[in-house]
Amino acid sequence: MTPFTTILTHPGSAHKDEFLACCVLLASAPGPIVRREPTGADLADPAIAVVDVGHRHEPALNYFDHHQL
């Protein structure tokens, strides 16, 4: 996993899945949690961990979503 500075997750109410993912990520690298849809720039930035949004699961790029199409 690439080091990250920000955790990005979906907007709206929190669910248990991203809550747990954010807790695990925060234990390894504290940083802010941002709640909004990811932009193309967010997905291109390996310093942003994208959690439970984005339809991709690519740990090497810090994408952690279980909603693949």
Side-chain angles (χ1 to χ4, degrees):
M1 186 168 73
T2 306
F4 59 90
T5 58
T6 303
I7 300 170
L8 176 64
T9 190
H10 60 76
S13 61
H15 303 121
K16 294 174 188 167
D17 53 353
E18 87 269 4
F19 176 78
L20 178 60
C22 288
C23 289
V24 170
L25 291 171
L26 286 172
S28 66
I33 297 173
V34 177
R35 299 185 67 81
R36 62 175 170 75
E37 293 294 327
T39 64
D42 295 327
L43 296 174
D45 186 350
I48 299 176
V50 181
V51 177
D52 201 38
V53 65
H55 302 289
R56 295 166 73 176
H57 181 79
E58 299 178 45
L61 299 174
N62 289 329
Y63 302 155
F64 306 98
D65 191 8
H66 61 95
H67 302 105
Q68 293 85 41
L69 298 174

